[in-house]
Amino acid sequence: MRSYFSLVSVFRKAMKMDKPTEKSQKVKVALLGFIAIFFVMIPVAAGCGIFVNLITGSLSEVGKESIGIELILGFISLFTMVFALNVIFNEFYFSNDIEYLLPLPLRASQITGAKFTTAFLSENFMQFLLVLTSIIGFGLAYDMSFLQWITAIIGGFLLPVIPMVYCAIISLLLMSFTRIIKSRDTIRTMSVIVTFIILIALVLSLGSLRNLDFDNYINSVAEGKDAFAAIMRYIFPHIGFLIEAFAGGSVLGFLKYLGINILWIAVFLVLSELLYLRGMTGLNSAKVKESRKGYEKLLDKCKMKSVEKAYFSKEMKMLVRTPVYFSNCVAISFIWPIFLYVVVRVMNINYSLTELHNMYVENNSDFAVIMLIFVVGISIIMTAMNSLGSNAFSREGKNFSFIKYIPVSYKKQWNIKAAVSIVISTLSIYIYVLIFGIAIRIPVIHMLIYFVLTVLSCGIITYMGMLLDSMRPKLMWDDELSALRENNNTFFNMAVSILIAGVLCGGGALLHYMAGLEFVAIAAIILGVTVCLIIYFYIRSMTQGIKNVISLEEL
Amino acid sequence: MIEISNLTKSFSNEKKAVSDLSFKVNDGEIVGFIGPNGAGKTTTIKMMTGILKPDSGSIKINEFDMAKDAFEAKKIIGYISDSPDMFVKLKGIEFINFISDIYRVPNDVRAERIKYFAGQFGLEDVLDNSMQGYSHGMRQKMMIVAALVHNPAVWILDEPLTGLDPQSAFNLKNMMRQHADEGNSVLFSTHVLEVAEKLCDKVIIINHGEKLFYGTLDELKEKHGNNDLEKIFLEMMDNEKLL
């Protein structure tokens, strides 16, 4: 056990970002933390709590009060599983510390157990906040006793254990096939594909909820007729025991809940002993195929490119060829229409292209304004979500010094990195806007306005993200996923981006619906604000940002 | 030529990593940079290449002052860092081409130089592969090729022989000698004292960031009773402990 605790302690320390030392940085980090907590985390968590509270209150009359909390806990468990899969794969098999751990006299279950605990503790914060507020929402409507509160909080804290154990078992089983597949990169790509398949399946299953009538839906869940809730109960039977424990005040239910958690952990540890090292030994890095064939041709192709083109191309190659960066920074940017599809299905929006065209051209420009606000909002949120700007320096890791010793100005390097983010983000947004625009025959001038606003919105969030990352990049990491997941800059960038999106989109909506301004006026105002913002962030990047890079000495 | 004057560097208000260090690497010289782990060698090298900013003192690379003309100075430096795990997702040839583009290596000599270095280090058969599959030694060879492909006048090499096979190490040492003989300057850090003894015109020995010796090997031996470099170095470190 001592080895296990030592490992957990070491892994936890390796994950932490260094605290700022300078007073001005401490203030900035505290301010960003405040924005992230009060404008992102608390509103989302409070939303969950209010949702559960309202449903519990309205269903308590018919004795079905636990439906709301059951649904929320099911969703949280499912999302935990989706997001943990990639983390567990990386922690178990792809982090750089593995090669130092394997020769040590440690049992496989000690390594996987410690890595699992570390992942659990680091991934659990936001989930626990959501679970806690949901429990509070339920408890306030249901009037729970002290003991019920305690069981609910302990049970809620343990909720992600089983979804994460599922991920651990999937990774152990999948890695057992490394004797057949062998290539580290293939396995890594497979883990990313599996994660995406689960995510897309989840989103599409939500999309199947056509013409959502909430009362009918809750009734169907309560009667056990809803397929989604039925699947939840099947995959996560422990949620039923937990609800039995805190809603029903059943000690036996709580013991069953703890028992099923212990059972799954035991299964995971036994499988670790059987499969972990086996999976490891079959794993190789990319194979080097020695061949002099085509060597002369290779040399013939060595032609000089401009510094800008060469640097841009290098950045793109690194993003596309590193599976973690590809899935988290590139591919994620292109899947937002799937979520839009869910909204369209759930709201049962079913217009023909001609109807949409007519709505766009007529209808007091309502549709055009909504589209304008949507394009700006999605550009801001997706650029923040793909984190290409907010981890631009963190991605360099131990190679950060390269930026400093090559004869290329910091300004140029900064702008090329920004260009990579802006190009990918803009492409991932505008390609769909363009298809939609062509399909419903949106006027060319509007399409141009959307394009300019997409570029500007992506640019603002990119430069702001890079500015944040230049303050305190996470340069010491063991695997690429750590550069993204353990990087507070991404989170801070998202928080401020939500604020900016709120101001721009909310402001645009208010100007249209309250002040009666038309599309052109709103577009001009948003354009003016975004131009001012990008000029501000560009100047800050070229002055303070570059100073930050020069002064960074975590090498 | 490399000229270091009164260079000082400390991290987070702790003890000085480099303290008032001065030395010169003249054109035509190979200078070995020697010291135990944590002596301040890599910190000094990082300041010389522009990675770290000194607290005080100056660094001149040929006629360029690193504080004022860093851009020009960087163009004429060939630097090998202590870690060869750089941009491993690129193919070998892509990496060398990228570095060649950064340092503006013209088309008419690029292929010829890549061919020469690939031959010297036995890389011809693997250039079209991702560097992720390379061994540590192969990656180190790639770093050497990348550092030298633009034919820099000043070579600053941080433990360049680590991980190299005997043939490649031999070739690199010959290249260092030839480069210095052509009137250029070479500074390299090493823990292999036999190499320093055989290859260097001068050595700098530092410990705790302070210079213990700078001069020719003959001067060092004269001062320490004609022992070999290993014995002299160990004696000096022992004396340091006593102080």
Side-chain angles (χ1 to χ4, degrees):
Chain A
M1 272 314 254
R2 193 187 285 176
S3 303
Y4 162 78
F5 285 116
S6 302
L7 284 173
V8 173
S9 160
V10 170
F11 294 155
R12 293 276 297 156
K13 277 182 189 159
M15 271 189 164
K16 278 184 186 161
M17 269 186 95
D18 291 336
K19 286 180 182 165
T21 48
E22 285 175 31
K23 202 180 169 187
S24 62
Q25 274 207 0
K26 278 182 190 169
V27 173
K28 282 177 193 164
V29 169
L31 181 68
L32 290 166
F34 177 84
I35 291 172
I37 289 169
F38 285 92
F39 288 92
V40 182
M41 292 171 77
I42 289 180
V44 172
C48 276
I50 292 166
F51 169 78
V52 172
N53 184 269
L54 291 175
I55 289 187
T56 307
S58 64
L59 290 179
S60 61
E61 291 163 16
V62 288
K64 301 284 185 187
E65 56 280 327
S66 60
I67 296 296
I69 187 94
E70 187 187 351
L71 275 177
I72 281 285
L73 296 184
F75 270 109
I76 292 172
S77 299
L78 204 57
F79 275 99
T80 302
M81 202 173 147
V82 171
F83 290 113
L85 191 61
N86 214 359
V87 175
I88 294 276
F89 257 109
N90 271 279
E91 283 298 319
F92 280 16
Y93 292 100
F94 303 122
S95 62
N96 290 340
D97 56 7
I98 294 294
E99 58 187 272
Y100 302 105
L101 292 171
L102 290 181
L104 297 176
L106 294 166
R107 299 184 72 85
S109 56
Q110 284 174 321
I111 298 174
T112 54
K115 283 192 168 282
F116 181 87
T117 309
T118 312
F120 175 78
L121 293 174
S122 63
E123 292 292 310
N124 199 5
F125 182 67
M126 187 64 200
Q127 281 98 321
F128 184 57
L129 196 67
L130 295 177
V131 171
L132 194 65
T133 48
S134 303
I135 288 169
I136 292 171
F138 178 78
L140 292 177
Y142 190 63
D143 193 22
M144 293 198 299
S145 69
F146 179 72
L147 193 66
Q148 283 170 298
W149 276 107
I150 296 295
T151 49
I153 290 168
I154 295 172
F157 179 73
L158 295 175
L159 187 74
V161 169
I162 289 181
M164 288 181 77
V165 165
Y166 287 169
C167 298
I169 292 173
I170 290 171
S171 71
L172 286 166
L173 292 173
L174 195 58
M175 292 302 288
S176 310
F177 298 112
T178 52
R179 280 168 190 274
I180 306 161
I181 300 166
K182 290 198 171 161
S183 161
R184 183 181 283 257
D185 264 2
T186 310
I187 289 287
R188 206 186 276 243
T189 307
M190 277 176 69
S191 75
V192 171
I193 291 169
V194 168
T195 310
F196 268 92
I197 288 172
I198 294 176
L199 181 67
I200 290 168
L202 171 66
V203 170
L204 291 180
S205 74
L206 292 176
S208 66
L209 308 174
R210 251 190 186 185
N211 196 11
L212 188 67
D213 177 328
F214 202 71
D215 289 339
N216 287 342
Y217 181 66
I218 292 297
N219 284 337
S220 69
V221 173
E223 288 162 14
K225 288 178 187 167
D226 181 73
F228 183 75
I231 292 170
M232 285 289 146
R233 284 175 188 145
Y234 186 71
I235 303 174
F236 305 118
H238 63 297
I239 293 174
F241 296 136
L242 179 61
I243 289 168
E244 193 184 323
F246 71 78
S250 161
V251 177
L252 184 65
F254 190 60
L255 290 175
K256 278 188 209 165
Y257 178 72
L258 291 181
I260 199 167
N261 272 283
I262 292 167
L263 183 71
W264 272 112
I265 291 171
V267 171
F268 152 57
L269 292 176
V270 169
L271 282 176
S272 295
E273 286 294 330
L274 295 173
L275 301 175
Y276 184 61
L277 294 178
R278 207 178 121 193
M280 270 294 173
T281 48
L283 203 59
N284 289 323
S285 289
K287 241 185 178 178
V288 175
K289 289 176 201 158
E290 294 198 1
S291 167
R292 200 168 297 199
K293 233 178 169 182
Y295 175 59
E296 294 296 333
K297 272 189 186 170
L298 204 62
L299 294 176
D300 287 344
K301 284 184 198 162
C302 296
K303 300 286 179 231
M304 189 158 76
K305 284 194 283 233
S306 68
V307 171
E308 292 81 359
K309 204 173 165 189
Y311 205 113
F312 185 89
S313 158
K314 183 273 288 181
E315 289 280 317
M316 280 290 189
K317 281 174 186 162
M318 297 298 288
L319 279 172
V320 172
R321 291 181 190 173
T322 310
V324 169
Y325 296 154
F326 181 71
S327 59
N328 287 274
C329 305
V330 182
I332 192 94
S333 309
F334 287 86
I335 62 167
W336 64 268
I338 298 171
F339 294 95
L340 188 65
Y341 164 80
V342 173
V343 175
V344 169
R345 292 289 296 236
V346 168
M347 294 177 73
N348 202 25
I349 297 169
N350 199 13
Y351 296 110
S352 69
L353 291 177
T354 316
E355 281 172 318
L356 285 170
H357 171 74
N358 292 338
M359 277 169 70
Y360 193 93
V361 177
E362 300 155 10
N363 204 15
N364 299 323
S365 80
D366 268 4
F367 189 15
V369 171
I370 291 169
M371 177 124 173
L372 177 79
I373 289 169
F374 175 78
V375 168
V376 172
I378 197 82
S379 301
I380 290 172
I381 298 301
M382 286 317 297
T383 311
M385 193 177 266
N386 69 30
S387 68
L388 283 161
S390 58
N391 61 42
F393 298 108
S394 296
R395 286 199 306 269
E396 297 290 339
K398 289 168 192 164
N399 295 331
F400 180 77
S401 61
F402 178 80
I403 290 173
K404 293 193 160 193
Y405 73 74
I406 56 170
V408 179
S409 68
Y410 294 117
K411 189 177 167 183
K412 192 177 276 181
Q413 293 190 67
W414 189 296
N415 286 324
I416 297 169
K417 280 178 176 289
V420 169
S421 167
I422 294 169
V423 166
I424 293 176
S425 304
T426 301
L427 200 66
S428 70
I429 306 296
Y430 197 71
I431 198 164
Y432 299 112
V433 174
L434 190 65
I435 292 167
F436 185 70
I438 291 169
I440 70 160
R441 290 175 287 131
I442 291 177
V444 175
I445 187 74
H446 283 207
M447 290 308 292
L448 280 174
I449 291 171
Y450 295 145
F451 179 72
V452 172
L453 283 174
T454 305
V455 174
L456 286 171
S457 304
C458 296
I460 291 166
I461 306 307
T462 295
Y463 278 99
M464 182 177 78
M466 289 179 72
L467 196 56
L468 283 171
D469 200 34
S470 72
M471 275 166 57
R472 256 170 15 109
K474 173 138 181 100
L475 299 175
M476 302 303 285
W477 40 259
D478 275 333
D479 61 289
E480 290 95 353
L481 195 63
S482 309
L484 312 184
R485 295 301 286 259
E486 294 154 23
N487 190 344
N488 293 340
N489 302 324
T490 302
F491 188 52
F492 291 155
N493 192 41
M494 176 57 92
V496 183
S497 300
I498 289 173
L499 264 186
I500 293 175
V503 170
L504 282 175
C505 300
L510 281 176
L511 288 172
H512 179 63
Y513 292 107
M514 308 295 280
L517 292 188
E518 294 290 310
F519 174 85
V520 176
I522 294 169
I525 291 168
I526 294 180
L527 196 68
V529 176
T530 48
V531 167
C532 290
L533 280 174
I534 201 158
I535 290 172
Y536 170 76
F537 283 116
Y538 179 78
I539 292 171
R540 288 287 293 167
S541 296
M542 294 302 108
T543 50
Q544 186 57 45
I546 287 173
K547 265 188 203 168
N548 293 342
V549 171
I550 292 169
S551 64
L552 274 170
E553 292 192 334
E554 293 172 74
L555 309 162
Chain B
M1 182 266 292
I2 306 169
E3 195 174 349
I4 304 293
S5 306
N6 309 107
L7 205 60
T8 298
K9 177 76 189 171
S10 52
F11 294 105
S12 314
N13 300 324
E14 283 174 17
K15 207 178 153 189
K16 284 175 180 166
V18 175
S19 177
D20 201 26
L21 188 67
S22 299
F23 63 87
K24 196 173 175 184
V25 183
N26 292 309
D27 290 341
E29 277 181 355
I30 301 178
V31 173
F33 202 8
I34 302 167
N37 293 330
K41 301 186 296 295
T42 298
T43 303
T44 307
I45 285 176
K46 283 184 173 173
M47 285 190 278
M48 290 160 71
T49 50
I51 296 170
L52 293 178
K53 202 177 167 193
D55 297 339
S56 60
S58 68
I59 300 160
K60 267 187 136 182
I61 307 289
N62 284 357
E63 70 269 36
F64 304 113
D65 188 324
M66 195 43 105
K68 292 173 194 156
D69 298 310
F71 195 77
E72 294 304 318
K74 286 173 185 178
K75 278 185 188 171
I76 56 165
I77 292 174
Y79 166 58
I80 297 174
S81 76
D82 53 352
S83 166
D85 302 327
M86 187 179 280
F87 307 133
V88 294
K89 296 287 174 189
L90 298 183
K91 289 179 177 181
I93 192 71
E94 289 172 341
F95 177 61
I96 301 298
N97 262 320
F98 167 60
I99 298 292
S100 302
D101 289 329
I102 294 292
Y103 286 93
R104 316 307 299 142
V105 178
N107 284 334
D108 55 340
V109 293
R110 183 179 293 202
E112 200 180 300
R113 282 193 200 158
I114 295 173
K115 196 173 181 179
Y116 167 73
F117 286 118
Q120 287 288 308
F121 295 109
L123 294 167
E124 299 101 324
D125 303 341
V126 296
L127 278 182
D128 203 20
N129 278 294
S130 165
M131 294 200 296
Q132 194 169 18
Y134 286 13
S135 67
H136 181 84
M138 278 157 80
R139 287 183 192 174
Q140 180 71 0
K141 289 176 189 177
M142 289 304 299
M143 294 303 126
I144 296 169
V145 180
L148 307 183
V149 72
H150 64 291
N151 195 23
V154 175
W155 291 9
I156 300 174
L157 319 176
D158 198 355
E159 300 188 29
L161 301 169
T162 308
L164 294 188
D165 55 65
Q167 182 64 56
S168 300
F170 177 79
N171 290 351
L172 179 61
K173 285 184 276 183
N174 278 345
M175 286 159 69
M176 286 158 78
R177 184 71 269 164
Q178 194 186 334
H179 190 65
D181 290 345
E182 286 167 3
N184 302 300
S185 22
V186 177
L187 174 93
F188 76 104
S189 69
T190 184
H191 290 292
V192 188
L193 299 179
E194 291 88 345
V195 172
E197 195 164 15
K198 281 182 187 163
L199 194 62
C200 298
D201 301 304
K202 285 180 183 166
V203 291
I204 312 154
I205 302 176
I206 68 165
N207 197 14
H208 303 303
E210 290 181 3
K211 183 173 71 185
L212 301 182
F213 177 82
Y214 166 59
T216 64
L217 280 159
D218 289 341
E219 286 166 349
L220 183 68
K221 285 179 180 177
E222 203 175 295
K223 205 172 166 185
H224 291 270
N226 264 334
N227 279 322
D228 64 28
L229 183 57
E230 189 175 36
K231 278 185 184 163
I232 295 170
F233 178 77
L234 293 174
E235 256 177 42
M236 288 172 89
M237 293 305 121
D238 277 345
N239 291 341
E240 274 277 293
K241 276 183 204 162
L242 292 173
L243 289 174

